[in-house]
């Protein structure tokens, strides 16, 4: 790859984390990238243009109307120059403007004009980050194809502890390098241009307005897969049952409650998908009668008659056309027997099996120990590792099937 193919436009908006942009610019230059910088007016309150000019070895753009070269229009010229645009830090204000097509400064004007991929690295107060308007704006940008580097958790400049701290420069640079490593072979973004559907969490089956049946699934495995797929460049839809997890940035999330809700959501999205990974632990049975009022405790014994829910995975297997279909088998014994039976009965391409009776690999924990079985009879056993790492391994194995 020649240097001219590694043009990074770094957009710096106004937050205390703007000082980290100096490290990003410096490291990128040292790694052979061509770096140009645009700064908002607010960013210049925290760090000077001269600092970033010195570190990037290029002039810094600050004013839409400052046209130094009469042969070009600056914001169009730089928009065309960029192979990748990175907004770091990205404030709630900038994210809101981009999501709604507002172009009132050099950064937003250039971003609306560029055809290059865009990576957003948010940084703000934890409550701002969790505000519905901000979450909605990030979702809109994800739908537009923008990628996100999620903020970290910890002590924020405002004194709060929570999620909102700008990702470390090393993580942002790794994301940039990952993008460019795939420029020729798509090795860095192996799922670029692919649609991936992931299901996660439990479902709830209502008995009456205050009671329901459910299971112990936390959704952590499915959320890890959704995040990893987004990092690999996919357009990701996550159909999630009720969980306590934060919605992942850059992922389209559809919230559902019951198995029927999940069935309807999945079937609506299914035709457009290239890869479906169904990691949700859906309820197999639902009460035959759902009471409209709370049942009073006036009986010594109370029996609830149950009936089967729709088998979402089986229906997907029956309707499968070009999709690669991956299931999960959460078992407490006879792992291989049950997993292989499920793989064949439901017409899956691959199944991920784990023993949820193990304390370090079951529900709610951050680690997992899995065996992947494929329809050709092959299998791969993985040692105990983080669910994030398991997610990457599952996607890499699914990619092999997609290449066949």
């Amino acid at each position: 790859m020649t240097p001219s193919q590694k043009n990074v436009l770094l957009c710096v908006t106004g937050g205390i984390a703007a000082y980290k942009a100096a490290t990003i610019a410096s490291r990128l230059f040292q790694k052979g990238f061509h770096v140009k910088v645009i700064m908002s007016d607010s960013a210049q309150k925290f760090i000077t243009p001269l600092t970033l000019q010195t570190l990037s070895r290029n002039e810094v753009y600050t004013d839409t109307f400052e046209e130094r070269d009469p042969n070009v229009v600056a914001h169009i010229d730089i928009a065309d120059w960029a192979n990748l645009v990175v907004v770091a830090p990205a404030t709630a204000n900038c994210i809101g403007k981009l999501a709604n097509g507002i172009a009132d400064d050099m950064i937003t004007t250039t971003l609306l004009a560029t055809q290059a991929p865009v990576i957003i690295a948010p940084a703000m107060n934890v409550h701002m980050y969790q505000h519905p308007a901000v979450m909605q704006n990030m979702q809109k940008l994800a739908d537009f194809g923008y990628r996100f580097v999620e903020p970290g958790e910890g002590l924020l400049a405002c004194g709060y502890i929570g999620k909102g701290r700008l990702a470390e420069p090393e993580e942002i640079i790794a994301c940039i390098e990952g993008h460019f490593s795939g420029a020729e072979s798509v090795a860095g973004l192996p799922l670029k241009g692919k649609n991936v559907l992931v299901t996660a969490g439990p479902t709830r089956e209502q008995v009456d307005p205050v009671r329901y049946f459910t299971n112990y699934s936390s959704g952590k495995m499915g959320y890890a897969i959704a995040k990893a797929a987004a990092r690999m460049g996919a357009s990701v839809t996550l159909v999630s049952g009720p969980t306590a997890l934060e919605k992942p940035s850059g992922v389209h999330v559809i919230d559902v409650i019951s198995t029927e809700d999940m069935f309807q959501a999945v079937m609506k999205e299914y035709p457009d998908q290239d890869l479906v990974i169904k990691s949700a632990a859906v309820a197999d049975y639902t009460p035959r009668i759902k009471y409209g009022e709370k049942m009073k405790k006036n009986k010594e014994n109370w029996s609830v008659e149950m009936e089967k829910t729709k088998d979402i995975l089986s229906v997907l297997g029956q309707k499968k056309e070009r999709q690669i279909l991956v299931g999960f088998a959460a078992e407490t014994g006879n792992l291989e027997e049950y997993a292989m039976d499920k793989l064949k009965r439901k017409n899956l391409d691959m199944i991920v099996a784990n023993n949820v009776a193990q304390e370090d690999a079951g529900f709610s924990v951050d680690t997992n120990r899995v065996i992947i079985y494929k329809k050709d009879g092959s299998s791969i056993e993985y040692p105990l590792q983080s669910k994030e790492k398991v997610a990457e391994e599952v996607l890499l194995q699914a990619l092999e099937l997609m290449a066949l």
Side-chain angles (χ1 to χ4, degrees):
M1 180 180 293
T2 63
S4 63
Q5 293 176 291
K6 298 171 66 175
N7 296 338
V8 177
L9 177 59
L10 177 61
C11 299
V12 186
T13 65
I16 186 62
Y19 76 92
K20 291 185 180 180
T23 301
I24 296 170
S26 177
R27 298 269 176 84
L28 287 175
F29 177 80
Q30 292 170 27
K31 288 174 177 286
F33 291 88
H34 282 186
V35 183
K36 292 186 179 182
V37 180
I38 306 178
M39 299 180 69
S40 70
D41 289 343
S42 298
Q44 296 172 64
K45 306 291 185 183
F46 295 96
I47 185 172
T48 67
L50 179 59
T51 298
L52 290 170
Q53 176 179 301
T54 302
L55 295 172
S56 68
R57 307 298 200 275
N58 275 309
E59 65 175 301
V60 173
Y61 298 82
T62 59
D63 187 348
T64 313
F65 298 100
E66 187 175 355
E67 299 287 358
R68 300 175 186 176
D69 183 350
N71 296 307
V72 297
V73 176
H75 70 275
I76 300 299
D77 185 55
I78 198 171
D80 292 340
W81 170 87
N83 300 126
L84 177 68
V85 181
V86 180
V87 187
T91 60
N93 181 59
C94 180
I95 289 170
K97 287 195 227 179
L98 292 175
N100 291 281
I102 297 172
D104 63 354
D105 63 6
M106 185 68 177
I107 289 177
T108 51
T109 302
T110 303
L111 277 163
L112 259 63
T114 191
Q115 295 295 302
V118 179
I119 294 174
I120 304 287
M124 64 197 76
N125 166 268
V126 59
H127 300 313
M128 294 174 68
Y129 184 74
Q130 295 173 349
H131 193 282
V134 176
M135 299 300 291
Q136 185 178 62
N137 287 333
M138 289 193 292
Q139 184 60 66
K140 285 180 68 175
L141 292 179
D143 292 341
F144 294 161
Y146 287 30
R147 296 178 60 210
F148 284 81
V149 182
E150 288 200 44
E153 295 187 30
L155 180 64
L156 306 179
C158 59
Y160 281 94
I161 296 176
K163 189 170 185 177
R165 184 174 62 190
L166 180 68
E168 292 304 314
E170 292 76 13
E171 185 179 353
I172 296 171
I173 291 166
C175 188
I176 294 169
E177 289 183 311
H179 169 81
F180 282 100
S181 69
E184 294 177 339
S185 65
V186 201
L189 293 172
L191 287 170
K192 186 176 181 180
K194 301 297 184 182
N195 295 326
V196 176
L197 174 66
V198 182
T199 68
T203 58
R204 293 176 180 173
E205 303 303 320
Q206 180 182 324
V207 179
D208 63 24
V210 298
R211 301 180 180 93
Y212 56 83
F213 289 94
T214 191
N215 57 63
Y216 291 112
S217 175
S218 64
K220 288 185 175 181
M221 191 68 253
Y223 274 60
I225 293 171
K227 291 178 183 178
R231 288 197 301 271
M232 292 183 181
S235 175
V236 183
T237 299
L238 173 63
V239 180
S240 174
T243 76
L245 304 175
E246 289 188 16
K247 289 180 171 58
S249 300
V251 171
H252 176 50
V253 181
I254 301 174
D255 292 311
V256 298
I257 301 295
S258 69
T259 301
E260 179 63 24
D261 295 339
M262 184 169 285
F263 175 81
Q264 296 297 335
V266 168
M267 296 312 298
K268 181 179 179 181
E269 301 292 329
Y270 192 43
D272 298 325
Q273 303 305 314
D274 298 294
L275 170 63
V276 176
I277 302 179
K278 197 174 175 304
S279 63
V282 299
D284 296 318
Y285 292 87
T286 188
R288 189 177 66 83
I289 298 175
K290 296 174 174 58
Y291 298 94
E293 296 183 358
K294 178 184 175 183
M295 295 298 291
K296 305 306 294 182
K297 191 171 60 176
N298 53 15
K299 297 179 181 179
E300 192 65 29
N301 296 297
W302 179 26
S303 296
V304 178
E305 186 177 353
M306 308 288 280
E307 60 185 8
K308 279 189 175 182
T309 57
K310 289 177 180 173
D311 191 328
I312 303 174
L313 197 53
S314 286
V315 176
L316 294 178
Q318 293 166 14
K319 294 182 177 294
K320 184 172 64 171
E321 296 177 350
R322 57 182 177 79
Q323 298 91 344
I324 295 297
L325 184 57
V326 179
F328 268 68
E331 305 292 348
T332 57
N334 299 322
L335 204 59
E336 181 176 359
E337 177 186 348
Y338 292 149
M340 290 302 296
D341 175 67
K342 187 174 183 179
L343 183 147
K344 293 174 183 176
R345 280 190 298 106
K346 302 192 178 185
N347 192 28
L348 309 182
D349 297 288
M350 189 173 93
I351 192 163
V352 184
N354 68 314
N355 188 336
V356 294
Q358 298 174 330
E359 291 185 1
D360 57 2
F363 296 126
S364 299
V365 297
D366 294 324
T367 53
N368 211 346
R369 183 187 289 107
V370 305
I371 304 175
I372 293 177
Y373 299 95
K374 296 182 180 179
K375 64 180 179 181
D376 64 2
S378 63
S379 65
I380 307 173
E381 185 170 355
Y382 295 91
L384 184 71
Q385 52 193 335
S386 70
K387 287 184 174 176
E388 285 73 19
K389 181 61 177 174
V390 172
E392 292 176 0
E393 297 293 349
V394 169
L395 288 165
L396 289 173
Q397 292 303 316
L399 270 165
E400 289 189 7
L401 297 177
M402 295 171 75
L404 296 177

